[in-house]
Amino acid sequence: MAINTQAKHLYRFGPFCLDATERMLTREGRSVPLAPKVFETLLVLIENRGRILEKDELISRLWPDSFVEESSLSQNIFQIRKGLGEGSEGQPYIETVPRRGYRFVAPVSETWSRDSELPAAPIPEAGFNEVAFAAGDEADQPAGPAPQDVPVSAPETAPLQPVARSAWKKYVAAALLIVTAAAAFGVYRLFTQRHAATASAVPFHTMRMSRLTRNGKVRHQAVSPDGKYVAHVIDDAGQQSIWIRQTATTSNVQIVPPAEVDYLGLAFSRDGNYVYYAVYPTRPNKYGLLCQVPVLGGAAKKIADDVDSGIAVSPDGRQIAFLRNFPLEREVFLMTIHTDGSGERRLAQRKRPDYFSWAGPSWSPDGKMIAIAARHFTPGGSYLNLVCVNVQDATEMTIGKQQWTWVGQLAWMPDGSGIAAVAWHPSYTVYADQLWHITWPGGEARRITNDLDGYSGISIADDASALTTIQSTRMSNIWIVPREQTGHAVQITSGFGDNYSEELGMAWLPDGHIIYGSNSGGNTDLWMMDADGRNQRQLTTDGNSDVRPAVSSDGRRIVYVSYSAGIPHLWRMNADGTELKQLTNGDGEDLCSLSPDGRWVVYLARKDDNRRVVWKLPFDGGEPVAMTDEESGSPIISPDGKWIGLFLLDRQSRIRRLAVMPFAGGEPVFISKGTLTPDYGFIQWSPDSRALTFIYTRNGVSNIWSQPTNGGAPKQLTDFRSDRIYRFAWSPDGKSLACERGTTINDIVLVTHFASPPAGP
């Protein structure tokens, strides 16, 4: 006798089986783990197989009541492809339809199957099929003779006793099965209820996100203790101002007028009457100020000098914590000061190359601890961890065992159970900061967001009614600019850009192809395309973040930076993506350049004393040689192979200056004295090897500038009237410039329903 409990809805494709009832994907009987929303995305695609699903339609079906960026959908598609092994097995499952959406293209068979079956009982006597049918389903009964075919050899009354006993036993068996099934269902119901209760108790499990601002120009933000207001910095055409808006309405008031300054962070006073801020009042930046302004606007008051980070106000409202840098002594201190400017105290210290994160500290709700991220250097590389500093005795303890690539601003949960942070962990292979939750004191870390957007800044109201952060989406495209006709630039790509694309790199191949870093596939990889933007294809698929390509003069080899376990090292490969080989395995090598003769790689790495300097390494292997003693940056070999352009750090002023030194070694032959500071710290040689070119932004608009190495005045090369430039590269013949232009949309996102509910009685 077969007992059916539930019919399963199955989709089979290739070696996979998707169980829509149990919400599980298996491959040849083995489970393929997918996050719930990723599984739901796959199910929707399979249910609509063969049909193009527009991105907007997918987003509205998957997130019907939430505001979600397109990058979240892209991340889900990437996770599906990763789980299905697309690319490694040559079997296409999901087709990307440019500018539209996605389509599931693999053949699918759809079936229904029973959840479980018990061994069939012996063929019953005549008349017992009614019992079996009542307990199960007619289609599940074993084949047997029809009642009229059962032989009867005794008088009619003779078989009544055994038939009655048999029927009684089977009625009892059926009843027992029903009772067992009911008990099992009760246990299942209890388990799922407890599981749901446990899940709802996990912070951020049921959070809701909504966008507060839509001007795209937010630099910093902080939520008020009662969660009703958000202070934020607006950066408009190079001038910054401070505003206050309500979280429940669109009311928005400017409290500090625009000025050519740089704000470092914001915080409300505990009573909500004032906004504290750290600001560099002049450019180039020299000394930061800690100031206070009434929440409804008015005269600002200076509290302290020499503030170099974001700020945090103590729970009792009497003190402010911040960082102070001493460049000549190579030291940075975690400081506290009373809100009236008195009682300054050095609480904790780091000696370079170790340092604290400039995003700033966070004060625990009980006022006893200050959490901050600290950079730590080891012979195998560098990483950040979270530390707590005891305010009373200045002792430190590490939170958890995670080794983070980057940690930005922190915010304690109001109940003291953990810390929310903006961070990048090596487990997340997209080059973008995400929101994380770290338990206290255990230190277990869990990612809150999982998309292609970037996040910066985090602030939590005292009653856990609101969490605010800045979500960044880049709207940018790659353009080709003729060198002699800069006014005839042509856009060759369309759509969203990559967050942090200034870190991803770009280079030309001699045949006219362009290689660049991108998050397009849901992972940060190297891609290649034609000079007109067509035939975009992915080159690296190793699961690491691969960025900053450099191409050999013959176009056959590419050297790039790959982040393995969060530490950058140099790798090389053929131009078609084959024959990958790791070149370095030291203390985080970065920013490489190749000599025109193909014999040398120049790059950045640390010396034994932890200074970051320029090194030269034979392309085919060998011992690297340090080429500078001073801290350096952005080394790049000139097209004629005679010079290395780089940044040198002035020990006294701590200002980076453009410089040129002989490739053969020796003292610099040129050091700039100008005031132009290249954006992002990246430079390129002009094709004629006579100037260093770079991005410079004025009044919110970027252009490419040139600094002649003979000491002449800087010269503007392009004449763009809008947008920022994030990365660029000259073609080998010097006739064309490829650059990525656009804007980064930074808006405040409000997160609610994120905290654990209060414990019951």
Side-chain angles (χ1 to χ4, degrees):
M1 178 179 62
I3 303 296
N4 173 56
T5 58
Q6 186 178 17
K8 288 186 176 181
H9 192 182
L10 305 178
Y11 295 94
R12 302 182 188 275
F13 54 97
F16 298 95
C17 178
L18 184 145
D19 187 335
T21 306
E22 296 290 341
R23 303 189 71 78
M24 181 173 61
L25 177 69
T26 58
R27 177 194 174 103
E28 297 175 344
R30 296 185 178 182
S31 176
V32 178
L34 293 178
K37 190 62 69 174
V38 176
F39 179 91
E40 188 177 345
T41 305
L42 175 60
L43 179 59
V44 171
L45 288 168
I46 291 177
E47 289 174 339
N48 294 272
R49 55 196 177 275
R51 182 171 75 87
I52 298 175
L53 289 175
E54 303 285 346
K55 294 179 181 179
D56 289 345
E57 179 184 355
L58 275 169
I59 290 173
S60 64
R61 292 184 62 168
L62 295 169
W63 295 277
D65 301 317
S66 303
F67 173 81
V68 174
E69 299 286 356
E70 184 180 311
S71 56
S72 298
L73 176 61
S74 301
Q75 179 68 14
N76 282 5
I77 297 296
F78 166 71
Q79 294 293 339
I80 293 172
R81 285 171 166 158
K82 186 176 181 180
L84 299 181
E86 276 199 5
S88 61
E89 301 177 0
Q91 171 63 54
Y93 295 104
I94 300 173
E95 175 190 6
T96 299
V97 182
R99 302 183 182 87
R100 294 188 62 186
Y102 303 95
R103 173 167 51 194
F104 196 88
V105 295
V108 177
S109 63
E110 183 176 3
T111 60
W112 290 81
S113 131
R114 296 303 170 191
D115 184 50
S116 61
E117 292 187 0
L118 298 175
I123 297 174
E125 291 87 345
F128 189 67
N129 274 346
E130 292 87 347
V131 178
F133 181 72
D137 192 319
E138 184 176 24
D140 290 326
Q141 304 313 312
Q148 63 269 26
D149 294 330
V150 178
V152 179
S153 55
E156 287 187 43
T157 56
L160 291 179
Q161 183 75 12
V163 169
R165 284 197 300 267
S166 176
W168 178 81
K169 291 179 181 178
K170 291 174 180 177
Y171 274 116
V172 171
L176 288 173
L177 284 172
I178 293 172
V179 171
T180 302
F185 177 76
V187 172
Y188 167 78
R189 183 76 175 270
L190 178 62
F191 172 80
T192 53
Q193 288 176 342
R194 288 183 175 177
H195 177 74
T198 301
S200 64
V202 175
F204 300 98
H205 182 76
T206 58
M207 69 177 186
R208 299 177 185 175
M209 300 179 70
S210 59
R211 190 180 294 273
L212 276 186
T213 62
R214 294 191 178 275
N215 56 45
K217 301 176 181 180
V218 180
R219 284 286 299 271
H220 302 282
Q221 61 80 34
V223 68
S224 62
D226 60 8
K228 296 181 179 180
Y229 299 91
V230 177
H232 56 289
V233 173
I234 296 294
D235 189 335
D236 191 4
Q239 293 200 329
Q240 298 182 15
S241 54
I242 300 179
W243 296 68
I244 295 288
R245 69 154 294 152
Q246 291 181 298
T247 56
T249 72
T250 59
S251 175
N252 204 26
V253 178
Q254 184 183 101
I255 62 172
V256 178
E260 194 173 343
V261 298
D262 287 314
Y263 290 98
L264 302 180
L266 301 170
F268 277 88
S269 61
R270 306 316 300 179
D271 58 12
N273 292 329
Y274 294 94
V275 173
Y276 297 103
Y277 59 90
V279 59
Y280 281 123
T282 59
R283 295 175 181 170
N285 301 334
K286 291 188 177 181
Y287 296 101
L289 303 178
L290 176 61
C291 300
Q292 175 197 74
V293 65
V295 74
L296 295 180
K301 174 185 176 182
K302 187 183 79 170
I303 296 174
D305 291 304
D306 203 2
V307 176
D308 299 309
S309 73
I311 56 178
V313 179
S314 63
D316 62 9
R318 297 178 180 179
Q319 298 183 78
I320 297 175
F322 60 92
L323 297 182
R324 177 172 292 163
N325 184 36
F326 292 86
L328 297 182
E329 294 83 2
R330 299 172 59 81
E331 293 176 324
V332 59
F333 287 91
L334 173 61
M335 310 286 298
T336 61
I337 192 172
H338 293 150
T339 53
D340 63 2
S342 65
E344 188 175 281
R345 177 190 178 194
R346 294 182 177 182
L347 188 62
Q349 174 197 18
R350 285 295 185 274
K351 184 83 172 180
R352 287 186 179 274
D354 294 355
Y355 59 85
F356 293 118
S357 170
W358 303 110
S362 178
W363 222 300
S364 65
D366 60 9
K368 296 180 180 180
M369 309 287 288
I370 294 178
I372 193 166
R375 173 72 70 178
H376 181 63
F377 287 86
T378 68
S382 66
Y383 60 87
L384 286 100
N385 52 25
L386 301 188
V387 298
C388 266
V389 182
N390 188 296
V391 177
Q392 182 175 359
D393 59 18
T395 56
E396 296 185 26
M397 68 173 292
T398 302
I399 308 172
K401 299 179 180 179
Q402 290 79 21
Q403 296 183 354
W404 304 87
T405 303
W406 169 248
V407 179
Q409 193 170 10
L410 311 175
W412 280 85
M413 300 292 287
D415 62 0
S417 62
I419 296 171
V422 176
W424 180 33
H425 192 268
S427 63
Y428 190 72
T429 55
V430 173
Y431 211 96
D433 294 335
Q434 298 288 297
L435 301 184
W436 291 75
H437 176 256
I438 301 96
T439 62
W440 167 261
E444 292 84 9
R446 183 174 65 88
R447 190 165 63 239
I448 300 170
T449 57
N450 186 19
D451 53 47
L452 298 181
D453 290 324
Y455 293 86
S456 62
I458 190 167
S459 180
I460 301 179
D462 288 350
D463 59 359
S465 62
L467 178 153
T468 52
T469 183
I470 300 172
Q471 187 180 49
S472 298
T473 302
R474 184 157 290 178
M475 302 290 293
S476 59
N477 291 285
I478 296 177
W479 295 66
I480 300 297
V481 185
R483 182 178 177 84
E484 302 301 329
Q485 294 178 303
T486 57
H488 292 76
V490 177
Q491 180 180 326
I492 64 170
T493 65
S494 61
F496 288 92
D498 293 304
N499 282 303
Y500 310 103
S501 57
E502 62 272 16
E503 301 283 346
L504 305 184
M506 177 188 295
W508 288 74
L509 274 69
D511 62 6
H513 286 93
I514 298 173
I515 182 171
Y516 59 102
S518 176
N519 298 325
S520 298
N523 188 79
T524 304
D525 288 296
L526 296 184
W527 288 64
M528 183 184 292
M529 66 179 172
D530 299 344
D532 59 3
R534 299 180 181 178
N535 298 319
Q536 298 177 14
R537 56 196 182 276
Q538 186 174 336
L539 294 181
T540 59
T541 58
D542 55 11
N544 298 325
S545 293
D546 301 323
V547 297
R548 303 179 197 129
V551 180
S552 62
S553 58
D554 60 9
R556 297 174 57 190
R557 299 289 184 88
I558 296 169
V559 178
Y560 60 97
V561 177
S562 183
Y563 281 78
S564 176
I567 299 175
H569 297 300
L570 300 187
W571 285 65
R572 80 179 189 195
M573 65 179 176
N574 293 337
D576 60 0
T578 61
E579 297 187 18
L580 276 68
K581 179 181 179 180
Q582 187 170 344
L583 295 181
T584 61
N585 191 28
D587 186 12
E589 301 82 12
D590 202 355
L591 291 168
C592 60
S593 178
L594 306 184
S595 63
D597 59 11
R599 296 174 55 194
W600 300 94
V601 181
V602 168
Y603 61 97
L604 280 183
R606 296 191 180 276
K607 298 186 71 174
D608 292 339
D609 61 3
N610 281 316
R611 282 180 298 169
R612 199 169 177 82
V613 302
V614 177
W615 295 73
K616 182 166 68 173
L617 173 72
F619 188 83
D620 293 321
E623 289 297 320
V625 177
M627 301 190 68
T628 59
D629 288 326
E630 300 298 328
E631 290 193 43
S632 314
S634 298
I636 186 163
I637 305 172
S638 61
D640 62 11
K642 297 179 180 180
W643 311 101
I644 297 177
L646 71 162
F647 285 104
L648 288 177
L649 186 66
D650 187 292
R651 288 191 178 187
Q652 297 298 319
S653 66
R654 303 298 293 177
I655 294 176
R656 295 178 306 166
R657 298 196 182 278
L658 285 172
V660 174
M661 62 178 293
F663 179 77
E667 294 297 317
V669 298
F670 167 77
I671 298 179
S672 70
K673 303 298 182 182
T675 59
L676 294 187
T677 303
D679 291 5
Y680 317 118
F682 298 126
I683 54 177
Q684 297 280 341
W685 278 96
S686 63
D688 60 7
S689 299
R690 295 181 179 180
L692 294 172
T693 60
F694 52 89
I695 304 168
Y696 179 69
T697 302
R698 176 182 290 168
N699 298 327
V701 178
S702 299
N703 276 286
I704 304 298
W705 286 67
S706 170
Q707 171 62 66
T709 57
N710 62 6
K715 177 183 178 182
Q716 184 174 329
L717 299 182
T718 59
D719 190 27
F720 293 119
R721 305 298 176 89
S722 63
D723 291 338
R724 300 287 296 264
I725 299 177
Y726 300 109
R727 51 180 166 171
F728 73 103
W730 293 100
S731 62
D733 61 9
K735 295 181 179 180
S736 298
L737 172 73
C739 64
E740 180 181 355
R741 300 175 56 238
T743 185
T744 301
I745 301 172
N746 296 323
D747 278 312
I748 301 173
V749 172
L750 173 68
V751 182
T752 58
H753 300 83
F754 60 88
S756 304

